[in-house]
Amino acid sequence: MDKKDIRIIFMGTPEFAVETLKALVENDYNVVAVVTQPDKPVGRHGSVLQPSQVKQYAVDHGLPVLQPVKMKDPEFVEQLRSYQADLQVVVAFRMLPEVVWAMPRFGTFNVHAALLPKYRGAAPINWAVINGETQTGVTTFFLDHDIDTGRIIMQRPFDIPDDADVEYVYDGLMHLGAAIALDTIDRIIAGNGHVDSIPQPSSLSSRSACQSKNSRPSTLDSQPSSLDSPLPLAPKIFKETCQVNWQQPVKRVYDFIRGLSPYPGAWTEVTNSDGYTLVLKIYKSLKTNTPANGVAGTLYTEKPHLYVNCQDFLLELLEVQLSGKKRMHARDFLNGWR
């Protein structure tokens, strides 16, 4: 079996997914269609429709694009079936119903930006950094009924330096994810449509539910599961999630800030001399070994340095953004702050 013999449908939406689609196209895999989110209204009145980055790439390269509002829409399902795909590859997309993920004869696999079963959910990169992990990675796994619980095909680790923010990890995993997707497809091709896969530890008790029609049990199926602590999850991040809690050790606060930088951005509230409370986003900070000298959350300045008291030590703020202003160095913020 050759890679051009396997008909592939790709599903994804953001920039993170484009890198994998690009790798498939540039390496001559047979991508017969692309599925992505509907165009989003943008602008003050929502009168302009903005296509996803995956759609932009697909259109530029002459690939058919499907944009269902509902994945169970009978018309979409029939349209998808008409492409007679052998395999579906999913990167940074929505949850799929069984009628979709079970459609191809070789199944559907997802590229997840974490080392499953850790960090299941919508924001695995952010939460790995927030929790101070020193290593994360990418996983390919077959989709099943639940979110990020299917049988694991391949994994690749990625180290997280102590000074790395989400942008650094995102970029690294984006390229690593593209590489592992190609390797996973090649492994499926080498097995004539079949590939060894293993159940995730927390799903060992329900192997039948996780068994994909295109996977065959590996020798690792018989290995016992041992999870010493609850698995860290990666739920969706909202604005309120991003507010800094200063009642923590400085290391926790430091990791929280870099785990949300540059997007969506950690924030706190500051009050000026006129009594107005404003939102201050924090993009970059620095741990110190200087003991806290005030209540957690209070500012301490030694120009040109700006510090905040944490539970144990001072945290220096390096890059911030006040409401309505541009991102700036802390010294510039101090020069204009009353």
Side-chain angles (χ1 to χ4, degrees):
M1 184 184 295
D2 185 80
K3 62 183 178 182
K4 291 184 178 180
D5 297 328
I6 292 187
R7 297 173 62 82
I8 297 172
I9 287 180
F10 181 85
M11 300 185 182
T13 296
E15 176 195 24
F16 190 91
V18 173
E19 191 66 26
T20 300
L21 177 58
K22 178 182 176 184
L24 290 171
V25 171
E26 292 183 352
N27 286 278
D28 297 323
Y29 289 85
N30 186 18
V31 180
V32 295
V34 171
V35 182
T36 189
Q37 295 277 38
D39 296 355
K40 284 188 175 182
V42 295
R44 172 171 287 185
H45 303 292
S47 57
V48 178
L49 293 178
Q50 177 69 43
S52 73
Q53 288 161 300
V54 161
K55 179 182 177 179
Q56 292 178 49
Y57 181 89
V59 170
D60 289 344
H61 290 80
L63 299 173
V65 177
L66 308 180
Q67 296 178 273
V69 174
K70 295 182 179 180
M71 299 300 290
K72 290 184 179 180
D73 183 345
E75 184 177 343
F76 162 70
V77 172
E78 284 308 308
Q79 192 176 10
L80 192 68
R81 185 173 285 115
S82 70
Y83 285 98
Q84 299 180 324
D86 301 300
L87 179 69
Q88 291 175 156
V89 179
V90 181
V91 184
F93 197 53
R94 65 176 94 171
M95 187 174 181
L96 304 181
E98 183 175 1
V99 68
V100 172
W101 58 255
M103 188 181 296
R105 60 177 180 143
F106 298 152
T108 302
F109 77 80
N110 180 275
V111 178
H112 187 72
L115 296 176
L116 292 173
K118 297 175 67 175
Y119 297 106
R120 293 171 177 157
I125 303 176
N126 296 95
W127 285 107
V129 180
I130 288 172
N131 290 338
E133 299 281 3
T134 58
Q135 188 180 77
T136 184
V138 289
T139 301
T140 53
F141 68 96
F142 289 116
L143 293 189
D144 65 9
H145 297 91
D146 298 314
I147 297 176
D148 302 335
T149 61
R151 298 177 66 92
I152 291 173
I153 309 167
M154 299 181 70
Q155 292 189 316
R156 296 275 171 79
F158 182 85
D159 292 335
I160 306 177
D162 184 64
D163 61 348
D165 60 14
V166 161
E167 187 171 38
Y168 172 89
V169 182
Y170 179 99
D171 188 66
L173 295 186
M174 181 172 65
H175 291 89
L176 191 61
I180 199 174
L182 300 193
D183 290 344
T184 299
I185 296 172
D186 290 344
R187 187 174 288 189
I188 292 172
I189 292 172
N192 288 316
H194 297 276
V195 63
D196 288 344
S197 60
I198 61 172
Q200 296 187 41
S202 62
S203 61
L204 279 173
S205 60
S206 56
R207 290 179 191 165
S208 59
C210 295
Q211 181 73 42
S212 174
K213 66 180 181 181
N214 64 310
S215 64
R216 61 171 182 259
S218 75
T219 55
L220 295 178
D221 277 1
S222 61
Q223 298 299 313
S225 167
S226 63
L227 297 175
D228 298 329
S229 59
L231 291 171
L233 299 177
K236 188 174 181 179
I237 291 175
F238 299 94
K239 180 181 177 181
E240 55 269 24
T241 312
C242 303
Q243 184 173 12
V244 180
N245 173 16
W246 299 102
Q247 301 282 348
Q248 300 181 90
V250 69
K251 175 66 165 66
R252 288 284 298 166
V253 178
Y254 169 76
D255 290 339
F256 184 81
I257 291 169
R258 67 191 182 99
L260 295 169
S261 179
Y263 183 82
W267 61 272
T268 190
E269 292 181 335
V270 291
T271 305
N272 65 12
S273 59
D274 295 328
Y276 291 107
T277 299
L278 302 171
V279 171
L280 183 73
K281 279 195 172 183
I282 307 168
Y283 292 98
K284 192 172 182 180
S285 65
L286 181 67
K287 304 189 300 288
T288 79
N289 294 319
T290 305
N293 57 20
V295 176
T298 55
L299 293 173
Y300 172 70
T301 61
E302 283 185 359
K303 286 193 174 182
H305 302 285
L306 174 62
Y307 302 96
V308 183
N309 282 286
C310 296
Q311 200 176 65
D312 48 4
F313 299 105
L314 292 176
L315 179 77
E316 183 175 4
L317 305 188
L318 300 179
E319 292 182 20
V320 298
Q321 182 179 13
L322 199 60
S323 300
K325 304 292 183 180
K326 295 181 179 180
R327 180 171 170 175
M328 66 185 76
H329 194 280
R331 64 172 174 267
D332 298 320
F333 166 79
L334 283 176
N335 288 336
W337 179 253
R338 292 182 298 168

